[in-house]
Amino acid sequence: MTTDPSNDPVFQSPNGNSTEAQRALEMEARLPMTGWQQEVSQGLEYGLEAAASIRDRTIPTFSRGELPHYAGINTFLKAPYIEDVRRVGEFDVAIVGIPHDSGTTYRPGTRFGPQGIRRISALYTPYNFEMGIDLRESITLCDVGDVFTIPANNEKSFDQISKGVAHVFASGAFPILLGGDHSIGFPTVRGICRHLGDKKVGIIHFDRHVDTQETDLDERMHTCPWFHATNMANAPAKNLVQMGIGGWQVPRQGVKVCRERATNILTVTDITEMGLDAAADFAIARATDGTDCVWISFDIDCIDAGFVPGTGWPEPGGLLPREALYLLKRIIQETTVCGIEVVEVSPPYDVSDMTALMATRVICDTMAHLVKSGQLPRREKPSYIHEEANMSVDEPWQ
């Protein structure tokens, strides 16, 4: 005899409605298993059938696919590695590593960020219980490896990054970038702008630091990306929204630029006092005012340093993980998102992979929210992608 769990008081909230857990149980029952079955079949074909003593005949001899989580080659979520980057447009989402930390002004190590994020991502499955999303059943995901950055040369690395990001973006695959220090924010946006034509992009920037200085230590460092990104006509300063700013590491030179260019800043106190929904409404309204798409730049240090010790400039008093994830949910589900970068994960300073795991959660949640909002999978290239590249998008700010 079976019973309907929704009639059980244990599964009901005080107002009599079903709980999130009950809804999750029901959503899972409706998910297909097609992607999983294809992965199993491919694993058996490529990795050989298991030894005769293995009773579970879905297990191959050589590890292929999700299991065991500790085995296999570390691409993000064990997605297929696409060595031929000309094929990237065949996939809905492309993971791109940017192992660059020559823009760091204090403690380096974020060049190992892509490796660290990929390694701990093996702990995850493609399925999220609360959201009722199985990425394996919803989208196609690939990992194209890393951009070849040039150690100790920011400008050459920026040129490489812009070219790589422009290639992925123009292909129609949704770009997810694994940093790397935050100096990459400028060349990544420049790569996007090269294929926007006359369209505009709003930038939503999660961080504890404004990163709006023109130079730092006489170079364009990780404190400088948004000064140079908002020099471009495709990325107006009025559409730059910065969330979580505050503390003792916000240079006055950058604050002056924010004031002059009238960017939009919310501190952690602003966010907590106005409430998460009002903060999300603010960010969405400002970033989408007159723009065609939104770029998300997520600096892991926007989260309180107690949760993310593995970063170059940790600052106490940041957002709680669930606050940041809720803001991300609202923003992604209610805007047209053209890509995201997750930066400043520094494995040499990490503890138990906490910081890399937080970055993995941000990325996986991003993909799930894109699916929930109908932005993925893509049936065609978004209209804001311009086929012809404009290599002269850098313009002085007026």
Side-chain angles (χ1 to χ4, degrees), residues 201-217:
V201 60
I203 301 167
I204 297 182
H205 166 221
F206 287 82
D207 208 326
R208 291 291 278 151
H209 317 104
V210 289
D211 293 350
T212 48
Q213 293 174 238
E214 182 174 8
T215 60
D216 192 353
L217 306 177

Side-chain angles (χ1 to χ4, degrees), residues 165-172 190-200 234 292-293 338 378 381-391 393:
V165 171
H167 172 78
V168 173
F169 179 73
S171 78
R190 182 173 63 179
I192 297 298
C193 289
R194 286 179 179 173
H195 286 279
L196 285 180
D198 61 355
K199 307 295 186 183
K200 290 183 169 56
N234 298 99
D292 302 276
C293 56
C338 64
R378 288 173 168 173
K381 285 187 186 182
S383 59
Y384 54 75
I385 297 179
H386 195 271
E387 292 294 334
E388 186 177 347
N390 176 8
M391 301 300 291
V393 293

Side-chain angles (χ1 to χ4, degrees), residues 31-86:
L31 288 173
M33 297 288 287
T34 308
W36 177 81
Q37 290 164 348
Q38 291 173 343
E39 185 175 292
V40 169
S41 297
Q42 183 173 291
L44 293 172
E45 179 183 357
Y46 292 171
L48 308 181
E49 290 190 4
S53 60
I54 304 299
R55 286 181 291 181
D56 183 350
R57 302 311 295 175
T58 67
I59 295 174
T61 298
F62 291 88
S63 175
R64 297 290 183 271
E66 177 188 339
L67 299 174
H69 292 288
Y70 51 80
I73 306 300
N74 283 319
T75 59
F76 188 84
L77 282 187
K78 296 190 176 179
Y81 169 55
I82 302 304
E83 188 169 14
D84 184 353
V85 297
R86 294 170 296 183

Side-chain angles (χ1 to χ4, degrees), residues 188-258:
T188 56
V189 172
R190 182 173 63 179
I192 297 298
C193 289
R194 286 179 179 173
H195 286 279
L196 285 180
D198 61 355
K199 307 295 186 183
K200 290 183 169 56
V201 60
I203 301 167
I204 297 182
H205 166 221
F206 287 82
D207 208 326
R208 291 291 278 151
H209 317 104
V210 289
D211 293 350
T212 48
Q213 293 174 238
E214 182 174 8
T215 60
D216 192 353
L217 306 177
D218 207 40
E219 297 287 341
R220 299 200 281 191
M221 307 296 276
H222 67 163
T223 50
C224 307
W226 310 125
F227 180 97
H228 302 283
T230 58
N231 273 346
M232 293 182 282
N234 298 99
K238 75 181 184 70
N239 300 119
L240 171 62
V241 183
Q242 301 177 277
M243 308 189 74
I245 307 301
W248 293 91
Q249 301 165 359
V250 183
R252 291 183 63 185
Q253 305 97 303
V255 173
K256 181 175 181 289
V257 171
C258 293

